[in-house]
Structure formats: C-alpha cells, structure tokens
Amino acid sequence: MVMGSLAQETEIAIIGGGPGGYVAAIRAADLGREVTLIEQREQLGGVCLTEGCIPSKTLINAVDLIYTARQAKRFGLNFGEAQIELDKLRQWTSSVVSVLTKGVAGLLKNRGVEVIKGRARFTGPNELALEQSDVGSIKFRHAVIATGSRINELPEAYDLPVWTSADALTLPEIPQRLLVVGGGYIGLELGLVYAGLGSRVTMVQFFPHLLMGADQDLVAVVVKNCEKRFEAIKVESKVTGLEKSSSGFVAQIEHLGETTRHEFDRVLVAVGRKPNTDTIGLDILGLSPDNHGKLEVTEEGRTSIPHIYAIGDITPGPMLAHKASREAKVVAEVIAEQKSGFDNRAIPAVVFTDPELAWAGLTEVEAEKTGRKVQIGRFPLTALGRARTMGRTDGMVKIISDPETKLVLGVGMVGPHVSELIAEGTLAIEMGATLEDLMVTIHPHPTLSEAIMEAAEVAAGQPVHINPARK
Amino acid sequence: MYEFILPDLGEGIHEGEVLKWFVRPGDTIGEDDPLVEVETDKAAVTIPSPRGGKVVSVQGKVGDTINVGDVIATIDDGSGAAAVAPPPREAKAHTRVETPASCPVAEAAGMKVRPKTAGPVPAAPATRRLAREMGIDLKHVPPSGPARRVTADDVKNFATGKSAGAAAAPRAEKTEKIDRQAEAEFAAHAASAIPLLDIEPLPDFSEFGPVDKEQLRSIRRKVARKMVTSMILIPHVAHMDEADVTELEEFRKREKQRREGRPGGHLTLLAFVVKAVTAGLRAAPRFNASLDPFKEEIIYKKYYNIGIAVDSGKGLVVPVIKETDRKSIIDIAANIEDLATRGREGKLEVADMRGGTFTITNVGVLGGTGMMPTINYPEVAILGMGGVQEKPVVRDGQIVIRKMLPLTLAFDHRIADGADAARFVGEMVRQLSDPNLLLLET
Ligand SMILES: Cc1cc2nc3c(=O)[nH]c(=O)nc-3n(C[C@H](O)[C@H](O)[C@H](O)COP(=O)(O)OP(=O)(O)OC[C@H]3O[C@@H](n4cnc5c(N)ncnc54)[C@H](O)[C@@H]3O)c2cc1C
C-alpha cells in the first residue's frame, strides 16, 4: 500500500478462505506471522459455510423436526402436518450462514490478517497475480493453497438447468418429483431434505451401494429408512440421457442393460467434487496434481516445493471441513517453525441422514481388503435404554479392535445423534485406547454414549445388555 | 554355534561402516552386551549381541563396510552346529507408510519387541507431539503402556538415554533441513547479482549484549525495498538552496488567520511549495518523468501529481495530490489536510497513493536544517524541505534577519544534470521569495 504501488508483499499468502484457509490464517497470525488471505468470493468461509456443511445442516435440522413431529404421534402427541413457509426457511438458512461468515471475517480482522478479495494464480515461486481485485500482485515467502473443490458436472446434463447441491441449498422450489443423481452423502442428505419438504425423490446411484466407503451393515440401516422416504432408490443404475420436457425433465435410466424413461420436475446432480487445482497456475510452479486433481503433500503439508503448502479438499484424503482445518493448523505451525505434522490416526466421517451415520479409523471393508485380523463388537440400539426412551432404536455402534492388543482401530455407528458420539471414538483411536479404556470409563446413564462402552464390552466378549456370543 | 547376520538397520539402510568392535575373537560376550558399533549415513548404531557365549570370529575391520544380511560374527552359544539364524528381513517388506511397529535393530538383537502390527505406533496425540519436538521417531521408543502404547514418559526416558535402544535411534532432522533450504532459496531469489556486492550473514549480536528482534513487516519492509531499489538503481545527485520566505510567511499567516476553519484554511507552507514545484516541473519536464532502463526511454508525464511523504504512525506513506497544475493553493491546502489526516489515521486507500510524478518530503517541520532525501523510485526527483529559520542574511550590503527555507532537490543524474537542477530550484526559490510571483506565474 505504500508509495502508490499495487504490488503487495507478505510473509504468508493463503489462497482460499474456507475452513482450511481461514483457520491457517488465524493460527499463523496468532503465532506472530504476517498473513494475507485471498478469497475470490464476497463471503468468507468457503464451500463449508456458504454452500456446504452449514446451510445443509441448517435445513436438515429443520426438516428433522417435521419427521420428529410425525413420529410423536406414536407417543400420543399430534402436531398435525407442518406448514412450510419456504421464504422463512430460506431466510433462516441464510441468516445462519451470514452470522457465521461475518464471524469469520471478524476473527480474521481481530487477528490482523489482511483479507484481499480477488482470484489468485501463481506467476512464480514467490509471487501471485490477482484478478478481479484492487491488488495486482502479491509477493510471499510462504504460500498455502487452500482453494478447495467444486462441483463435478454430469456430462449428460451439460447446458441443462439441473440443480447442483449449491442450487438445491437455496431452496428454489419444492419440486413434486425430484431426481437425485448420486448416492453419496451429499445426494442422500439433500434427497432427505426435499423428501421431508414433500418432494417425491428418486435416487440413482451408479455403484452397487449407497455411501460407498462406509461399512454396509451401517449403511443398511440408513437405506432402510430412505426406502420409506424416497419414491425409489436405483443402485447400479446410470442416467444415460437427460432432456428438457415441457413439464420438467425426461431421464433415461439404465439398470443392468435395461433402459427406462422417467419424468421429473427437477434434477439434482450430486456426483462428487473436483479439487480446484487446475486454474491456479500450478504448471508455472512445476507442481502437478495426481489423476484426481489432488496435490501430494508431506506430513508437514509441504508440496514438492518446500515453501508452498497445500491443505483441505485439494490434498489426498476425504474432502471434509475438519480435515482441512486440522491440516491448516499443522501448516501454520510448520511455517512458524514449530515442530508439527499431520499424524492423525483417524478422520471422522459423518453423514447427516436420518438416522445419522458416522465412522472413524479402520472400517470393516478396509480390514477385509488388507487382510487385517480384527475383533468386532456390535451393540444394537434396541438394547439401549436411552434409544428406547427416544423411540429411536434404529441403529448400532460397532467397535473394531486388534484381536491381540485390544487396541481400538475403528469405530462405526448409525443412529440418532451419532454425529456427536463419533468424537469419543475418534479420541479413543487417537489416544491409542484399548477396549478396556472404553469399558472402564463411566458413561452417563441413560445416554446414547453408553452404546460405545457396550460395544467395547461386546468386542471384549463381556457384554452386559446383550447375550454373549456362545463359545 | 550362532551366526549373527547384520540386521536391517531400518529406513532403507543397506550397509554401514564398522566404527568399533566391543569384543575380539576369544572374548566372552553376554546376551544384549554391545557387540559392534556401525555408522550408517543416518546415525551411529550400537548393535548388541543377541546371544551370550564365546566370540569365535568377527567379520569386518574398523572402517570396512558391512552389508545387511552378511554374517558379521560367530558366537559359540553352546548350541552345537552352526545354524544360520534367518535374517530378520521382514521389516523391509513394509512400505514407508506402514512403518513397522518395532525397532529392527533391537529386534534382531533379541530384545523385547512388539510383534508387527500394521499401522502407526499407538500413542496419544500429545505424546506424538512431544516426540516430534524432540526429534524422536516413535517406532524406536520402547513402549510401557497397554497395547504397547508409548507414553510421554517413555519418550522422555528414551531421549535421556534411560531406555534401551536409545543410542541406536536415528534422530529426525529432516524438517529442520528443509526449513533452512527454503530460507536459503528465498535469500538467493532476493539477492541480485551485483559484482563485488557481498552480503554476509550478520554476526550474532546477542554475543555482545541483549537484543530484541522484530520482523521486517508490511510498510516498513515496503519502504526498505523501495529505498534499496532507488539507491542502487538511481545515481543520486543533490542540489541545495535556500528560499527567503519572509514575505510569503507573512502573507500565509495573514490568510491563514482569515481562513482558518474553512476548507483549505489550514494554509501551510507546503501548499505553496507544491504550487511552486508544479510551476518548476512545467518549465523542466525532465523532473516530471521516469526512465525505463530496459527500453532505454524517458517517459514524460503530462500531468502533475505531487506526492507528499507522510508519517503514518505505521511508517512512511506517500499519498498523492492529483493535478496540482489545475488546483489553486487553497485547493491544494485542503487536499493536504485531508490526506494528512487520513494518513495519520491509517485510512488512506490504494487509490490515494497511485499515480505520483514527483515527491516532496517536509521533514523540516520536525526539525533539522536539511537532509539528503532518497528518490521515490521510479520518479526522477524528490524535494526535501528543511525547517524555516530566521537567519542573518545580507541584503543590499546590510545584515538583515530573514526567514529562510532550506531546500534540497535530489535527482536522477541519468536523466537530468546539475544545470537543470540549478535552474529548477533557482526558479522555485525566486517564486517562493515573492508571493506575487506565485500568483502571477503559477
Ligand atoms: C453440500 C455439501 C455439504 C457438505 N457437508 C459437509 C459436512 O457436513 N461436513 C464436512 O466436514 N464437510 C462437508 N462438506 C465438505 C466441505 O464443505 C469441504 O470439505 C470444505 O469446505 C473444504 O474446505 P477447504 O478450505 O479445503 O475448501 P473450500 O471450503 O472449498 O474453500 C476454498 C475457498 O477458496 C476459494 N478459492 C478457490 N480458488 C481461488 C483462487 N484462485 N483465488 C482466490 N480464492 C479461491 C473459494 O472461493 C473458496 O471459498 C460439504 C460440502 C458440500 C458441497
């Protein structure tokens, strides 16, 4: 800003203001570093705050109330059918987003992080050029790439007014018939939101299961509920053609070689995300992403150029906000010359379906794939007092342990509020806890958390509330 | 008879140099007693004997290279015929990611070791952090916790050499190295290739007394860069003169009193100087130019934007008064007031700093009789104003007391010469000495 120049200099340039970028900025600033954060959007917070985690969970929470109220009929409480005021629901969602993004802006400001609006691209190993910005270029000593990911497009839907997850989250309307393409967590979460608001939802999944990557015994519980709420779930199916029709869309859906035509009012495409590594000038640095567009990094978060770091959705591993934030803290600490590294044992994954699904660490699928011997304890919520009191016994907790050392290797769960419970499982894995550690820790009664203790007991062969396996 | 094969030393090390044998053939050795010290490219490792007995032979003199898998010692442990122990090679099958959970050296030596489990060593995150800070690889630390969990105490004991295997553990120094490399690269990037320019690392000043450190940051660093660029690139020449501003000051103070409170009413001498400079620049366009050394061309600017160096509290900033040729002195005074206020409050915007063609620095208001200013690159000249002082001067053979304003013009000798500067400054001095001329001629 001095002497009439538009070229700026900073110690650390962070590209992207998502849960990766903004957290790195705050941590680095708190460690006494000079930080400039570059974000192309008006709002800070990245995909997570503006069109991901936060708006989706706001809607899911609201829609869950509809289901809960319906269920209450069983308890003798009749609320009638929900009157949906779409405008208010939209306002509510955007007010939640707005409070949080402003909060992020405030945190950055208070930490003395300079936030520059603009689109950054590398022009050299120590320089970025900015577009759509008041600032022309930024010189830096260290750069953190936190550019996140964007929505994958469906070739069949090019140029058609289909919805992306970002569109769907703005609640443009409640279509009567909604086709959801993609049976991953985003498709499922949003499918359930629209089903709850009254749409008849058809889900098409290319793979043989929904939520590939999760253990299918857990997924089955979710699928069972989705089957009730969705019009149809078509696995091993593919949308091979999509056309605009007078009333909406006509989709050709192929299943095991057979093609059928179906009409929908709206189509939501949720077929994954791709890392934003292709438009930021990495070629100039000589950095090349892998086949999936991801940038390999060291434990310290460095790319093959030691003073350029990458975090979040653009690095290998699950595309999740909390992974981005942990990586962010690591790189900030490394840049501040602290000894730090991403050596986490488990990145919890949560799916906010109804019931919720969550896991951390080793899954059964992985154990099978790698031929690793494990001891598994499953505890069904049907045997849990708290689940009974809630009228929600659809679920279980399972603990995967080492048969010899009893080390907790993985935790998986499905049921109400397991998004909150998974943290205990994650901590257990991080701490190197054994089944014993979980078993002797007193869990409050009656709570869902007892299921973790019980599942550990099952794994250790000492269950109380279910019958032990006969020897 | 037991034939001891040099075990895998871990981390892809295949060979080592014999530093020292702790025994000679004929000696008796106990189980776990040190046998040989081997230097790898990572560390010196003491290898204990896995068996007790009488040393029959050792292979490899001090300084020799021995390979993993070679028989390095034969020990008579009373077990009869020589049975070659299978080389403990398993560890090698593991990839880097799935680091074996045991220390291969210790294992080969028959020490208590963990069975191999895939995946990382169990340890709490805080323990991992501690190990990282101490540069210790967890997989070498003997665990004391359940499920072979490494505790914080295990790490500390290992570090202080209280636990077995401590000496053999290579320390992780990789991160340090990378850091320094990045630093060096940055320095190399920043340094230019000027012959004989010799920038040496600074001595450690704290050897001589206490010091404080502050990072070169934001404006301060920007100023530093600008100044170095300017000083290295521009052959500076300074031309000095004094203007008799007695009449001008009288006029200014009178007008200031009348106008105080109104826009531009805070009439400063600087506003008049800006006007005089503008007139000077019109007459001498070389001082309102820039030299492009790559294209070897002089760019004459047909507009007059005068930058004013302002102490912003955070450092030096130079907001610009635009189109001073089209503004009255009152307008200019109003502009200066606005920019100075915003400068002090740190509220100047990028646009306020852009487009300057000439800079004035008015350090004189803070004291001092004169200075040698540094040109605001890529401009051609900068005018430094000293403080106005009453001085005895000679007028018509008489010593009289006059108010004198010292002026220093530093200019780029590539574009202008001493004579140009003398004319430019002389003209300015003439105008500042007579308010009427400013009125008439600017
Ligand atoms: C519908 C949906 C629901 C989700 N739900 C969850 C959930 O429940 N839990 C969870 O953990 N994760 C969830 N995610 C994933 C989560 O949003 C991402 O993992 C997370 O946002 C990644 O953070 P990031 O910092 O890597 O990138 P992003 O959040 O994508 O942020 C990157 C930022 O960089 C900016 N940017 C990109 N390129 C440039 C450039 N060249 N110059 C300047 N700025 C640039 C972008 O504008 C963006 O703001 C969800 C995602 C979606 C789409």
Side-chain angles (χ1 to χ4, degrees), chain A residues 15-22 38-41 43-54 56-57 118-121 146-151 165-166 169 185-186 189-190 273 276 279-280 311-314 318-324 348 350 352:
Chain A
I15 314 164
Y22 86 74
I38 307 139
E39 168 58 60
Q40 63 191 6
R41 300 183 200 224
Q43 286 179 307
L44 290 162
V47 167
C48 174
L49 259 64
T50 59
E51 55 178 56
C53 330
I54 294 302
S56 65
K57 269 79 254 182
R119 201 180 151 70
R121 140 192 281 281
T147 48
S149 61
R150 61 175 183 274
I151 287 156
S165 57
L169 286 169
Y185 81 95
I186 294 177
E189 287 181 5
L190 288 173
R273 302 180 61 82
N276 291 323
T279 54
I280 50 172
I311 55 174
D313 281 5
I314 60 167
M319 291 190 181
L320 292 169
H322 41 267
K323 167 186 168 266
V350 174
F352 291 80

Side-chain angles (χ1 to χ4, degrees), chain B residues 51-90:
Chain B
R51 299 280 164 93
K54 196 168 163 204
V55 180
V56 179
S57 66
V58 298
Q59 263 76 47
K61 293 192 292 291
V62 170
D64 282 0
T65 297
I66 50 179
N67 296 307
V68 169
D70 289 352
V71 174
I72 56 165
T74 310
I75 295 161
D76 185 355
D77 60 346
S79 67
V84 176
R89 279 286 186 75
E90 278 161 277

Side-chain angles (χ1 to χ4, degrees), chain A residues 434-446:
Chain A
T434 59
L435 294 176
E436 181 90 8
D437 292 324
L438 291 177
M439 287 154 64
V440 300
T441 299
I442 298 177
H443 286 67
H445 178 76

Side-chain angles (χ1 to χ4, degrees), chain B residues 126-317:
Chain B
T127 306
R128 271 135 56 191
R129 181 68 168 245
L130 181 71
R132 189 184 292 280
E133 275 163 5
M134 298 177 123
I136 288 168
D137 190 338
L138 275 181
K139 65 175 186 278
H140 297 138
V141 180
S144 69
R148 293 163 201 114
R149 186 158 64 200
V150 174
T151 65
D153 282 343
D154 296 341
V155 173
K156 286 181 206 149
N157 288 340
F158 185 78
T160 52
K162 281 193 202 138
S163 60
R171 296 264 174 143
E173 266 180 9
K174 214 169 71 209
T175 53
E176 282 278 309
K177 256 182 234 148
I178 292 179
D179 270 344
R180 265 181 255 121
Q181 186 191 333
E183 297 288 294
E185 270 167 26
F186 187 80
H189 186 73
S192 52
I194 299 177
L196 299 185
L197 183 67
D198 186 10
I199 306 173
E200 288 198 339
L202 298 182
D204 180 4
F205 295 109
S206 61
E207 270 180 31
F208 313 112
V211 296
D212 257 349
K213 286 184 182 177
E214 181 194 336
Q215 293 228 328
L216 198 55
R217 281 276 155 86
S218 58
I219 294 186
R220 190 69 259 151
R221 180 176 48 204
K222 197 93 195 181
V223 171
R225 278 197 182 252
K226 271 253 174 176
M227 294 306 151
V228 172
T229 309
S230 176
M231 276 315 224
I232 288 181
L233 227 54
I234 303 178
H236 279 63
V237 177
H239 182 90
M240 298 167 198
D241 208 339
E242 277 186 336
D244 180 343
V245 293
T246 317
E247 267 93 47
L248 182 58
E249 278 293 272
E250 239 165 69
F251 171 71
R252 180 180 76 83
K253 286 195 176 134
R254 195 177 64 232
E255 286 303 311
K256 188 179 163 192
Q257 246 169 19
R258 283 188 18 192
R259 289 162 191 271
E260 193 76 74
R262 280 187 268 157
H266 187 71
L267 260 185
T268 56
L269 189 54
L270 180 59
F272 293 87
V273 174
V274 168
K275 200 65 198 176
V277 161
T278 309
L281 291 176
R282 291 175 73 160
R286 286 189 171 239
F287 294 107
N288 200 47
S290 280
L291 174 66
D292 187 330
F294 300 104
K295 293 193 187 143
E296 300 196 352
E297 63 187 18
I298 301 172
I299 302 145
Y300 294 97
K301 293 154 208 167
K302 303 288 190 192
Y303 49 88
Y304 303 90
N305 295 343
I306 310 297
I308 308 288
V310 175
D311 179 18
S312 74
K314 278 197 206 150
L316 174 67
V317 293

